[in-house]
Amino acid sequence: MGRHREFDPDEALHVALQVFRRQGYEGTSISDLTDAMGITRPSLYAAFGNKEDLFRQALDLYERQHLCFAHAALQAPTAQESVERLLRGYADVLTDPTNPPGCLGVNGAVACSEASEAIREELIARRMVNENNLRDRLEQARSNGDFPKNEDPTDWARYVVSIGLGMAVKAASGASREELHRVVDFAMRGWPTVPA
Amino acid sequence: MGRHREFDPDEALHVALQVFRRQGYEGTSISDLTDAMGITRPSLYAAFGNKEDLFRQALDLYERQHLCFAHAALQAPTAQESVERLLRGYADVLTDPTNPPGCLGVNGAVACSEASEAIREELIARRMVNENNLRDRLEQARSNGDFPKNEDPTDWARYVVSIGLGMAVKAASGASREELHRVVDFAMRGWPTVPA
DNA sequence: AGCGAATTATACCGGTCAGTAGGATAGTTG
DNA sequence: CAACTATCCTACTGACCGGTATAATTCGCT
């Protein structure tokens, strides 16, 4: 009962995601969002809560829709293959021509005012989840024998994530897909091999 | 002639640099700056121009004071040594305990509103200068014979800068100096050797 | 038709944004 | 002392910030 919504919340959330991805959390105003989403302020607050809630929902959508490749990548047969798929898939997402360049998890907030500290910490935590997932995969690989016993999965996961973060900043700075893939080429050169 | 300034502009600029480094350009308000610098708004505008001018001056100071190691690093005898000194020196700057973690060139602005677009582009341009300086060093190394003829200095410079940017984000996320140095360890593993 | 519920749009809230006007103050120069 | 000048502080500007009160509108239901 009651009046029907005149906009599609899912579609509106996609638009909000685009704006946040381009301008970051702090650089995006409610007016920026309502203008792009084609709805009024009260509609936004009724449908999504406040700005912080909306950002978190956009972040969820982003991970669900754009970072979903990561789960599949981690299931590749070898650790090396997993990492390479991870980095190449990420390079493609970062430079997807239908979206603003870069990653919401980085563009969202790297440094910000105290008012946005909660969002910054949320992003740090989410990035850490990914790093830990990769570490777990490398530990599994070490058990399986396709990752050297004397190498530290925690250190390697941090290294791979750092490469990804660097590519994210480069993408936001205008780097092309090909340039990022060439970064991946070099990043994989030092990958450790199990002694025969 | 006229009243003397009651604050040291250089000291005040150091403080402004700290604030910008912690909160970024857009996340820093004039009030944040005047509070930290211990001066009033009109004093700030009289001494440094507007917010954008002040940021650029802080950026100049940052490069002069914290990134000065890079020039020396590039003069190391070999390309490999130059790159390793570059990355290790950068890791130390990023985690210098007397300053907010991370790099002003990254924390300053990765994604922002249109109002700060000029600053974002300035940072991109300055990062590109560093990348080009490294490329030139690698090209010189290729002439000197301590970098392989079949490797592309442009690609390698982009790779090294990407590593640095990734470390900068990790530092801003709380990574320790030791963790960043371990990233450097792995980043250097794939460094190309000249065929004997 | 008429009631209640949900969404709509307008118009506003106090607070903060970057930037400045204008008068008071302190210093140099005659 | 008086004149000049540069810096100081208080107080302000208009615009924008995130968020909301209010009332008109539009639907399902009886």
Side-chain angles (χ1 to χ4, degrees):
Chain A
M1 11 173 94
R3 184 173 176 173
H4 295 329
R5 227 186 227 126
E6 294 180 357
F7 67 97
D8 178 358
D10 191 61
E11 194 176 325
L13 187 59
H14 275 82
V15 174
L17 167 56
Q18 290 235 0
V19 181
F20 277 130
R21 193 166 164 179
R22 180 170 53 242
Q23 306 190 351
Y25 177 72
E26 207 155 43
T28 300
S29 72
I30 303 291
S31 297
D32 290 336
L33 292 165
T34 54
D35 287 354
M37 298 160 94
I39 65 178
T40 62
R41 282 167 108 70
S43 295
L44 183 149
Y45 279 91
F48 302 104
N50 62 16
K51 186 185 176 185
E52 203 170 309
D53 293 335
L54 174 57
F55 182 83
R56 287 193 160 89
Q57 292 171 58
L59 195 51
D60 288 336
L61 172 62
Y62 175 69
E63 294 190 342
R64 214 163 51 235
Q65 175 167 299
H66 295 98
L67 299 187
C68 52
F69 74 91
H71 182 74
L74 287 181
Q75 293 179 326
T78 68
Q80 178 168 8
E81 209 168 327
S82 283
V83 168
E84 181 148 5
R85 281 195 200 176
L86 225 40
L87 289 177
R88 297 206 183 276
Y90 195 49
D92 292 345
V93 168
L94 292 172
T95 56
D96 164 13
T98 69
N99 286 109
C103 174
L104 179 61
V106 176
N107 289 3
V110 176
C112 62
S113 73
E114 283 187 20
S116 310
E117 191 63 20
I119 292 297
R120 194 180 74 92
E121 285 171 10
E122 164 97 37
L123 292 177
I124 293 175
R126 296 211 188 195
R127 289 196 298 259
M128 210 59 212
V129 167
N130 295 330
E131 187 170 319
N132 289 339
N133 286 343
L134 175 55
R135 179 205 56 201
D136 293 346
R137 176 65 183 86
L138 296 182
E139 261 164 10
Q140 175 204 322
R142 202 160 62 157
S143 303
N144 292 353
D146 83 291
F147 190 76
K149 298 272 187 227
N150 60 326
E151 298 283 352
D152 185 343
T154 301
D155 287 342
W156 277 101
R158 186 188 311 114
Y159 166 71
V160 172
V161 166
S162 295
I163 298 278
L165 294 174
M167 295 196 312
V169 175
K170 280 297 278 182
S173 310
S176 73
R177 176 169 306 200
E178 291 69 30
E179 289 173 334
L180 295 187
H181 277 281
R182 231 156 304 164
V183 170
V184 178
D185 291 341
F186 296 167
M188 297 303 298
R189 283 217 196 176
W191 195 258
T193 54
V194 291
Chain B
M1 29 211 14
R3 184 174 175 174
H4 294 331
R5 231 190 225 121
E6 295 179 355
F7 66 97
D8 177 359
D10 191 61
E11 193 176 325
L13 187 59
H14 275 80
V15 174
L17 167 56
Q18 290 234 3
V19 180
F20 277 130
R21 193 165 165 181
R22 180 170 52 242
Q23 306 191 351
Y25 177 73
E26 207 155 43
T28 299
S29 72
I30 302 290
S31 297
D32 290 336
L33 292 165
T34 54
D35 288 354
M37 298 160 93
I39 64 177
T40 63
R41 279 167 115 66
S43 295
L44 184 149
Y45 280 92
F48 301 105
N50 62 16
K51 186 184 176 185
E52 203 171 309
D53 293 335
L54 174 57
F55 182 83
R56 288 193 158 88
Q57 291 170 57
L59 194 51
D60 288 337
L61 172 62
Y62 175 70
E63 295 190 342
R64 214 164 50 234
Q65 176 167 296
H66 295 99
L67 300 186
C68 52
F69 73 90
H71 182 73
L74 286 181
Q75 293 180 326
T78 69
Q80 178 168 7
E81 208 168 329
S82 283
V83 167
E84 182 149 2
R85 282 196 198 175
L86 224 41
L87 289 176
R88 299 208 181 274
Y90 195 48
D92 291 345
V93 169
L94 292 171
T95 57
D96 164 15
T98 69
N99 287 108
C103 174
L104 180 63
V106 175
N107 289 3
V110 175
C112 61
S113 73
E114 285 188 19
S116 310
E117 192 61 22
I119 292 297
R120 194 180 73 92
E121 286 171 10
E122 165 98 33
L123 292 178
I124 293 176
R126 296 212 189 194
R127 290 196 297 259
M128 210 58 212
V129 167
N130 295 330
E131 187 170 321
N132 289 338
N133 286 342
L134 176 55
R135 178 205 58 201
D136 292 348
R137 176 66 183 84
L138 297 182
E139 260 164 12
Q140 175 205 321
R142 201 161 64 157
S143 303
N144 292 354
D146 83 293
F147 191 75
K149 299 273 189 226
N150 59 328
E151 298 283 353
D152 185 344
T154 301
D155 287 342
W156 277 101
R158 186 189 312 112
Y159 166 71
V160 171
V161 166
S162 295
I163 299 278
L165 295 174
M167 295 196 313
V169 176
K170 280 297 277 182
S173 310
S176 72
R177 175 168 306 198
E178 291 69 31
E179 289 172 335
L180 295 188
H181 277 281
R182 231 157 305 164
V183 170
V184 178
D185 291 341
F186 296 167
M188 296 304 297
R189 283 216 195 176
W191 194 256
T193 54
V194 290

